[in-house]
Amino acid sequence: MSDHNQVKITTMDYSKDRPAAENPVKIQDLTLRDGHQSLFATRGRTEDMIPVAEKMDEVGFWAVETWGGATFDTMHRFLNEDPWERLRTLKRYMTKTPFSMLLRAQNLVGYRNYADDVARAFVERTCENGMDIFRTFDALNDYRNFETVVRVIKECGKHFQGCICYSMTEPRLGGEVYDIDYYVNKAKDLETMGADSICLKDMAGLIAPYDAYEIIKALKAAVKPPIHLHSHFTSGMSPMSHLKAIEAGVDIIDTCMSPYAYRTSHAAVEPLVMTLLGTNRDTGLDIKQLAEINEILEKKVMPKYKHLLDDSKVSVIDISVLLHQTPGGMLSNLVNQLKEMDALHKIDEVYKELPRVRKELGQIPLVTPTSQIVGIQTVNNVLFDDEKERYKMITGQVKDLCFGLYGKTAIPIDPEVQKKALDGYERGEEPITCRPAEILEPELEPAQKDTEGLAQDLDDVILYALFPVTGKRFLKWKYGKEDPPPEVRARTLEQIKEEEDLVKLAKLGRLVKKVEKKGPPKTDALRTFNVFVDDEYFEVGVEEPGGSPMISYVQQMPAGVPVSAPAPVSPAAAPAPAPSKLAAPAAPAPAPSKPAAPAAPAPAPPKPAAPSAPAPADVEGTPLKAPMPGMIVKYSKQVGDAVSKGDTVVILEAMKMENALQAPADGTVKAINFSSGDSVAKDDVLCVIG
Ligand code: CO
């Protein structure tokens, strides 16, 4: 078959000869966004991107993805970093390579459709702060949700990349909804909208190599804009799919630098560079230059994040994706959610319920946020439904979806499910058919009012408009009105080293840590004691500067390890150990060794961990308990309010889905035990109705 796109191999001396390829495959690097989002929960910090930024700018990537997706949320929520600042900072180090971001269309970088005024302001400010390419997708592939943002992207003269979310209902291409015509028609829609390029976005690594070939071939024949393939490695197929897509004429491929590659991330760039070397589709990238960047990432950056990598499995691929045609990230969320609720044994029921719920909710693609919407509802059904009644606890997001707030589903939603979801729904019981944002009231001005005296500029206001609870908390940290908690601080390489050393010692059964406080100089009064801990021997020096003896060096053992301690020492006189830098998981602050001497007074009981509000014992009534762990979004009722059974009392966010919790009885709200933004555990008493 003679074919313009066919990959041609030439014979040459590669050490001397590397002519520019006729039609090079362009590479977009995802390390600084999707790479760390996939492998370590988007926890990558700006300070760890700077060491490679200038070198990556020299490589010759078509673009580098640096922003969007979950970065905006994670940065202000967990890293105490201003997302806007990252964009400006990286832009100072990377001046040549275009920046790309993942934009969730009208969902922007959040999990619901925002009003048009917020969407417009967000895209304008993003352009202003340095973004060049807007990879835009809608979870339902409903391009009416593109209208507002695309207009602004075009007005600002930036690159609009339109995405088609890859989805399937059968193990291979074809079956209900997602056949080749579906993708071709979507691409034509995007071309009509003015797409500068079109991306087939396979967020779960579902696309099989020969299906990739068929689709890319069909897209290349049907539309003019360059075609870009985004396929996660998760299932193990993506390097093969890349190659078949290249044979079919794909223009741009997404990869990661190798330390950030594979598992749920993307195939690495280096093998692809070598695969295409010398062909008419040679990337032209220099593998030695890539190796230098890898070295920095491997040695200076990755050690800080190793603890976040999922090392629970040896296998780097997840065949459950092949078995269930479901995004791996979604599956691991489901597993985590079931674990938190002590219901992991119900996982098979969840797998069975999932396709049913998806079909009932309109056979929608599974991508953020629809994967969570379908996933959490499935878990709720498995946990709370019984034979008599399905959809007993419907999340707020499923109600929104049934109302049409996310857009048009691929097939109509099951009418019975829709009716139940919209029963008493605050926006109305009749679903809408218009572009969702048309019914949303402007949100920017209210956000401006809410943040008066706190927000300093429009970027701050937008941050708050997108994430009211965590956004406000971040702005308080940013402007010094509240101290950020220690867990949002960065870890240093020194800390990592110290922890690794401790782990090594612990593995050898010799976890011994000295107090980091400088003791007074030793005097003649120093007396030496021999201390035996099981078979181990320690020498302990003790001296009496004033009245009571004082330990000049002590050992700390991990909590729970019974040790015989140096005697005779009064614990009251022992110097308090410096707070350990070791974040011992689950263990309380390391306590000094418990004295074995019966005469010694018992150490003060440890303080209770989190000051979680306990249920006041003296309030009588029916408690409303948290059915799952989560964060309080808001209480809809106040103390003293009369409620009827079934009224919404509190909105609880769990796994990013909002759950309206209802009054378990008629009565009056007697006590409210938490407030907006508080984290709660399963079965915490949220309020009492009496
Ligand atoms: Co992705």
Side-chain angles (χ1 to χ4, degrees):
M1 186 173 71
S2 129
D3 186 332
H4 163 77
N5 292 309
Q6 203 174 6
V7 178
K8 293 174 209 134
I9 303 160
T10 40
T11 319
M12 60 178 173
D13 180 358
Y14 295 122
S15 59
K16 298 190 194 107
D17 220 9
R18 192 180 180 188
E22 229 174 273
N23 179 21
V25 173
K26 298 180 183 77
I27 302 289
Q28 168 165 275
D29 177 84
L30 306 179
T31 305
L32 305 182
R33 204 285 300 178
D34 211 347
H36 69 103
Q37 178 167 331
S38 299
L39 291 189
F40 44 98
T42 336
R43 297 300 199 272
R45 287 177 185 269
T46 309
E47 62 182 47
D48 293 319
M49 301 178 179
I50 292 172
V52 290
E54 282 164 309
K55 280 184 188 291
M56 287 182 73
D57 197 27
E58 299 295 329
V59 169
F61 291 122
W62 178 75
V64 280
E65 194 190 38
T66 49
W67 213 64
T71 60
F72 201 93
D73 182 358
T74 312
M75 289 178 72
H76 83 278
R77 193 188 290 254
F78 299 117
L79 307 179
N80 188 22
E81 273 197 57
D82 188 335
W84 300 104
E85 186 54 45
R86 170 173 301 173
L87 188 46
R88 293 190 292 267
T89 303
L90 288 179
K91 204 71 189 172
R92 284 198 291 276
Y93 290 90
M94 305 173 99
T95 53
K96 296 183 227 172
T97 316
F99 275 19
S100 166
M101 77 167 285
L102 183 65
L103 181 69
R104 297 168 178 158
Q106 197 85 21
N107 284 4
L108 305 177
V109 285
Y111 309 97
R112 66 169 175 91
N113 277 331
Y114 295 98
D116 280 337
D117 60 345
V118 170
R120 211 171 294 129
F122 177 83
V123 177
E124 275 170 8
R125 289 303 307 150
T126 304
C127 291
E128 198 63 39
N129 277 291
M131 190 46 63
D132 303 292
I133 299 167
F134 290 79
R135 167 174 284 179
T136 310
F137 81 93
D138 175 68
L140 302 187
N141 285 331
D142 181 350
Y143 297 145
R144 295 174 308 167
N145 289 327
F146 279 25
E147 284 172 21
T148 301
V149 293
V150 166
R151 201 170 302 133
V152 187
I153 296 166
K154 289 285 186 185
E155 275 167 18
C156 295
K158 304 296 183 179
H159 182 119
F160 158 46
Q161 177 169 91
C163 286
I164 313 168
C165 295
Y166 186 72
S167 198
M168 55 212 297
T169 51
E170 299 287 329
R172 287 282 302 273
L173 178 67
E176 189 176 21
V177 182
Y178 302 101
D179 57 13
I180 206 132
D181 288 343
Y182 175 88
Y183 294 104
V184 167
N185 289 332
K186 289 291 171 190
K188 284 181 177 164
D189 290 347
L190 292 172
E191 185 175 36
T192 311
M193 290 187 87
D196 297 295
S197 57
I198 292 172
C199 174
L200 186 61
K201 181 176 154 61
D202 172 26
M203 48 281 160
L206 300 176
I207 201 165
Y210 289 104
D211 292 341
Y213 185 88
E214 288 303 321
I215 297 178
I216 300 295
K217 199 99 188 139
L219 296 184
K220 286 298 290 176
V223 295
K224 285 203 187 67
I227 305 294
H228 194 150
L229 177 62
H230 176 86
S231 179
H232 282 256
F233 179 75
T234 321
S235 68
M237 292 192 289
S238 79
M240 295 184 274
S241 301
H242 286 164
L243 202 59
K244 290 310 289 180
I246 289 166
E247 289 176 11
V250 81
D251 298 278
I252 315 159
I253 292 277
D254 279 345
T255 59
C256 279
M257 301 298 303
S258 55
Y260 284 57
Y262 302 112
R263 298 194 181 264
T264 54
S265 180
H266 296 262
V269 61
E270 301 86 349
L272 190 62
V273 168
M274 193 49 74
T275 301
L276 298 173
L277 183 77
T279 69
N280 59 327
R281 305 229 54 197
D282 191 339
T283 59
L285 304 191
D286 178 356
I287 201 146
K288 292 201 182 97
Q289 204 177 1
L290 296 169
E292 280 173 30
I293 299 167
N294 286 342
E295 172 104 359
I296 300 171
L297 291 173
E298 192 68 56
K299 295 214 171 117
K300 302 231 162 89
V301 178
M302 280 315 286
K304 296 188 194 175
Y305 298 99
K306 251 190 199 152
H307 66 294
L308 294 169
L309 295 176
D310 177 15
D311 58 0
S312 59
K313 286 202 308 181
V314 174
S315 172
V316 298
I317 67 164
D318 179 359
I319 67 151
S320 69
V321 174
L322 304 175
L323 289 170
H324 303 286
Q325 284 81 54
T326 303
M330 174 181 176
L331 294 177
S332 58
N333 276 344
L334 295 180
V335 168
N336 285 340
Q337 202 199 3
L338 286 174
K339 250 190 221 160
E340 280 186 41
M341 305 185 65
D342 295 325
L344 197 53
H345 56 284
K346 298 207 165 167
I347 189 74
D348 284 332
E349 281 175 65
V350 168
Y351 287 143
K352 245 172 78 189
E353 179 76 2
L354 191 71
R356 192 172 170 198
V357 170
R358 183 185 180 200
K359 185 157 185 173
E360 284 163 341
L361 295 180
Q363 209 62 284
I364 51 184
L366 299 174
V367 55
T368 304
T370 47
S371 51
Q372 285 94 326
I373 295 174
V374 174
I376 308 298
Q377 188 59 53
T378 302
V379 171
N380 280 3
N381 284 7
V382 167
L383 292 181
F384 304 116
D385 288 358
D386 52 41
E387 293 101 68
K388 288 189 210 119
E389 194 187 353
R390 291 186 68 228
Y391 288 90
K392 265 191 162 177
M393 190 184 301
I394 302 183
T395 66
Q397 280 71 11
V398 165
K399 293 177 187 179
D400 295 344
L401 178 76
C402 289
F403 187 65
L405 217 51
Y406 287 91
K408 194 165 179 268
T409 51
I411 61 168
I413 294 174
D414 182 281
E416 249 173 72
V417 173
Q418 190 165 31
K419 191 155 174 271
K420 176 152 199 202
L422 295 180
D423 181 31
Y425 179 66
E426 54 192 9
R427 292 172 195 272
E429 301 198 341
E430 201 52 46
I432 56 163
T433 53
C434 62
R435 182 179 72 93
E438 266 160 41
I439 63 147
L440 299 178
E441 295 295 326
E443 292 171 327
L444 202 55
E445 223 180 89
Q448 247 145 2
K449 283 212 185 83
D450 286 353
T451 50
E452 232 162 70
L454 184 59
Q456 303 273 321
D457 54 27
L458 186 53
D459 293 356
D460 286 346
V461 174
I462 293 170
L463 175 69
Y464 169 82
L466 298 183
F467 297 98
V469 178
T470 53
K472 191 169 220 167
R473 185 180 63 177
F474 170 76
L475 292 177
K476 285 182 187 159
W477 297 343
K478 180 177 171 184
Y479 295 114
K481 300 203 164 158
E482 240 174 49
D483 284 333
E487 62 266 23
V488 303
R489 270 183 229 138
R491 287 150 52 90
T492 62
L493 278 178
E494 288 69 43
Q495 279 172 314
I496 308 295
K497 171 90 174 54
E498 193 184 338
E499 286 175 23
E500 277 175 356
D501 289 349
L502 283 168
V503 169
K504 266 184 218 154
L505 286 171
K507 278 184 181 160
L508 292 169
R510 300 176 55 95
L511 185 56
V512 174
K513 194 165 179 253
K514 281 185 187 161
V515 172
E516 282 166 18
K517 198 168 150 186
K518 264 210 173 132
K522 287 177 198 164
T523 68
D524 296 342
L526 183 78
R527 287 187 296 151
T528 307
F529 287 81
N530 293 334
V531 178
F532 299 92
V533 180
D534 294 333
D535 292 339
E536 288 191 85
Y537 161 74
F538 297 95
E539 192 184 276
V540 178
V542 177
E543 65 177 272
E544 270 176 293
S548 47
M550 181 172 171
I551 305 174
S552 61
Y553 41 97
V554 297
Q555 59 170 335
Q556 269 180 246
M557 296 299 285
V561 176
V563 291
S564 25
V569 172
S570 152
S580 167
K581 281 187 202 156
L582 171 65
S593 314
K594 268 190 199 156
K607 275 194 204 156
S612 81
D618 53 345
V619 178
E620 268 185 37
T622 316
L624 171 60
K625 289 183 180 177
M628 57 194 86
M631 186 184 80
I632 301 288
V633 178
K634 63 170 186 203
Y635 281 90
S636 330
K637 303 284 181 205
Q638 307 304 321
V639 172
D641 284 357
V643 292
S644 313
K645 187 177 175 190
D647 284 355
T648 298
V649 184
V650 54
I651 309 281
L652 177 71
E653 186 197 89
M655 311 294 286
K656 300 203 173 85
M657 294 295 120
E658 291 180 2
N659 297 278
L661 305 184
Q662 295 159 348
D666 292 338
T668 309
V669 178
K670 286 279 161 68
I672 280 183
N673 296 336
F674 294 91
S675 49
S676 175
D678 286 350
S679 294
V680 297
K682 181 174 186 283
D683 290 334
D684 273 354
V685 175
L686 306 182
C687 65
V688 181
I689 315 254

